[in-house]
Amino acid sequence: MRLVSLREIPEDADLRRQWNALVLGMENPQVFYSYEWALAAYRAYPGNLPPLLFLAYGGDDSLIGVAALAGDSSGHRASFLCATTGDYCDFVSSRDNRAELLASVLAELRKLGIKEITLANLPADSETAVRLRKPGIAERYRVFARTGYICAQVDLKSLERRGDAKPVLPRKKMLRRFLNAMGRDEPVRLDHARSWNAIETVLPDFMQAHIARFLVTGRISNMARPERQRFLQELAKLLAEPGWVAITRMMSGTKTYATNYGFQFHQTWFWYQPTFDSDLEKYSPGFCLLAKLIEEAADNPALQTVDLGLGAEEYKDRFANHSRETLYVTLKSSAWKHYREMVRYRLAALAVRLPPVEQAARWIVERWDRVKKRIHHEGAGGLVRWLLRRLRELLWMQSEVFFYEWTRPVRALSNDIGLQPIDLNVLAKAVTQYVEDRQTLDYLLRSAARLREGQAEGFVLLDSEGRCLHFAWAKNFEGCFLSELNAAVEAPSADSVMLFDCWTPVSVRGRGSYAQAVERVASLVHARGKRPWIFSAATNANSVRGLAETGFQRRYSLWRRRLFGLQWIAGETPRSGSSPTTEVSPQT
């Protein structure tokens, strides 16, 4: 066996043909092992995943093995190139050549100074996993393998079928009821985009729906990142040519209720990246899409399996009648690091069985991560100053909050700026715009949760190109909880509305967006016959300065005071009918 190492994925039609021929000759072929998958990852993540590609040739110079790996910036670690994108990863060769390929690649990695190798998502039933457990293959590396995922599957031949040969699906009455509800105007159907021209038109909407769905669940979708979007685009282009990709939409008329970015490859239909319209969650559109997809797959004699991929979601278990285990395998040259990893894994597994221990461990790890981040950003001195400040606040603290009332109509503002209500699509768009801004992402997650609660109304200020410049919320003043005071506050009158939780993303600050946004929101609230109010911590100089440029006028202030953990609020809210002063002297 002659091994050739490359630091790129060559765009070579002959290599593509031979590589994929090897994949189809494996014990369990997967689309994730294909040349197209590796090339898409290489194109989309050029800086993050520097390839370590090993091509093995036989005596007749024919390709007999492929190991698509990636290095890291240190030059001492390697992993599968497609580990972060593929649900299954493996060395590509016939079963007979696997041991020699594995031994040759590991020997070459040792020569390159690779001290740690991570093989994630390796199928437990693959020849590679079997060979790694045998002595001599991973010479000078210590191997530790543990379960990664249990992937649910639907064996189509094992499905129970009715007299008309249709599969018997779980919760069929509920399924029929939901499909009828979503198909009141037109029957629900599946639409498959397989060509790149068809996929290109539906992919942007799919990505936005996926980002919006994750916001509802309190997470940031990896699809918000530009490199992930590039990967899915490149992958669809490459896989569309051999007909291995299928973007499946469940639709009624022109309305899309749920979508799956999936694959049809070697007798398997893969459920890879699904999403659905959160507004229709009560009808379980994702469940309905999967049911209809399985029903269609069962009618196709060329298919044997619907693979539901990574993740142990409960809805998958309703359909699954089979499963496949993946492994997380590490190979380390250091005995200390090897045994340390084993001990940490065993302790973590033990903690999972004892919920109080697991909760305590998570709390400690979370707090320690915060400490490390603070040291990284502010240094050890910054950490000490923060601890002293926290200690002082526990003993004695006071803070003042100013309250402002809207007093005049909105000024004439630029026509390039517009105000729009916040919905999930707006928040999803903002996530893609500010995916590198951690503070803004936290704000958008908080906004998505508030949107679901329905107790407040959100607004966003947009420029002419649709970029989100500022966010603001409004709700009834009475009983509004202010974190600055750590208390709910009384309203000056029953028709008072509070503007709160205003936010300008870091990269667009300094443009006056705050003042423009609150003026427009206040004008809208005033047009509804309500009295707009807003507040600011006295120490927030930017906010106080911004409000001075608007039609808001300061009316009164409240103080929060705390002594040895006991808190009280000083000051008085002027009630309707009183004569508020334009300025309030600080209380002492």
Side-chain angles (χ1 to χ4, degrees), residues 18 269 314 551:
Q18 293 186 69
W269 197 336
E314 185 269 338

Side-chain angles (χ1 to χ4, degrees), residues 23 28-34 88 153 265 268 270 307 324:
V23 172
N28 198 327
Q30 295 291 333
V31 69
F32 310 105
Y33 308 159
S34 68
Y88 301 119
Q153 296 182 329
F265 180 84
T268 299
F270 210 93
D307 196 317
R324 192 179 189 204

Side-chain angles (χ1 to χ4, degrees), residues 326-582:
T326 68
L327 301 176
Y328 186 90
V329 183
T330 57
L331 297 87
K332 298 181 185 292
S333 59
S334 166
W336 158 248
K337 291 183 178 180
H338 169 72
Y339 290 113
R340 182 183 65 179
E341 181 180 5
M342 290 182 64
V343 170
R344 289 178 63 180
Y345 173 73
R346 302 300 181 197
L347 290 175
L350 178 62
V352 169
R353 300 176 187 174
L354 303 170
V357 175
E358 181 184 19
Q359 292 175 8
R362 288 184 182 277
W363 185 88
I364 292 171
V365 170
E366 181 181 344
R367 295 303 184 275
W368 177 240
D369 286 342
R370 290 183 183 179
V371 168
K372 289 192 295 184
K373 288 180 181 178
R374 190 172 294 277
I375 292 175
H376 176 74
H377 292 295
E378 302 177 19
L383 175 63
V384 172
R385 287 191 296 272
W386 177 79
L387 290 172
L388 291 175
R389 185 169 63 250
R390 291 288 295 168
L391 178 61
R392 185 191 64 203
E393 289 175 354
L394 289 173
L395 299 175
W396 164 252
M397 186 196 73
Q398 68 173 4
S399 59
E400 185 180 18
V401 174
F402 298 148
F403 291 82
Y404 300 80
E405 184 181 11
W406 175 253
T407 58
R408 62 176 168 81
V410 68
R411 297 172 296 164
L413 299 174
S414 170
N415 291 329
D416 294 335
I417 303 295
L419 191 71
Q420 180 177 320
I422 287 178
D423 59 22
L424 273 178
N425 287 327
V426 167
L427 295 179
K429 183 190 300 183
V431 167
T432 61
Q433 293 172 356
Y434 300 107
V435 69
E436 301 296 341
D437 183 345
R438 184 66 251 180
Q439 290 177 293
T440 296
L441 292 183
D442 290 341
Y443 178 87
L444 295 172
L445 287 171
R446 186 167 71 244
S447 296
R450 185 178 294 131
L451 192 65
R452 294 278 285 179
E453 293 169 358
Q455 301 299 313
E457 186 177 8
F459 302 91
V460 59
L461 194 70
L462 302 172
D463 65 14
S464 58
E465 297 178 354
R467 190 168 186 83
C468 301
L469 302 178
H470 187 84
F471 304 86
W473 290 83
K475 66 182 297 185
N476 288 338
F477 192 138
E478 184 63 34
C480 188
F481 184 88
L482 305 188
S483 58
E484 289 81 353
L485 294 173
N486 193 34
V489 292
E490 295 180 338
S493 62
D495 58 353
S496 296
V497 171
M498 176 67 80
L499 278 61
F500 70 104
D501 205 8
C502 301
W503 180 262
T504 304
V506 176
S507 62
V508 292
R509 290 178 181 174
R511 304 183 185 181
S513 300
Y514 172 56
Q516 294 183 68
V518 296
E519 278 199 281
R520 293 202 174 200
V521 175
S523 180
L524 180 62
V525 170
H526 184 266
R528 296 174 180 175
K530 302 291 186 178
R531 296 175 60 188
W533 288 80
I534 198 168
F535 67 94
S536 173
T539 55
N540 189 339
N542 290 333
S543 176
V544 171
R545 184 168 56 252
L547 288 172
E549 302 171 2
T550 70
F552 280 95
Q553 188 172 15
R554 182 177 158 196
R555 295 301 196 192
Y556 66 100
S557 67
L558 296 177
W559 284 80
R560 176 192 178 192
R561 288 176 175 148
R562 187 168 66 186
L563 178 63
F564 296 113
L566 298 176
Q567 173 180 301
W568 67 95
I569 304 299
E572 184 177 351
T573 301
R575 307 303 295 175
S576 180
S578 63
S579 299
T581 58
T582 58

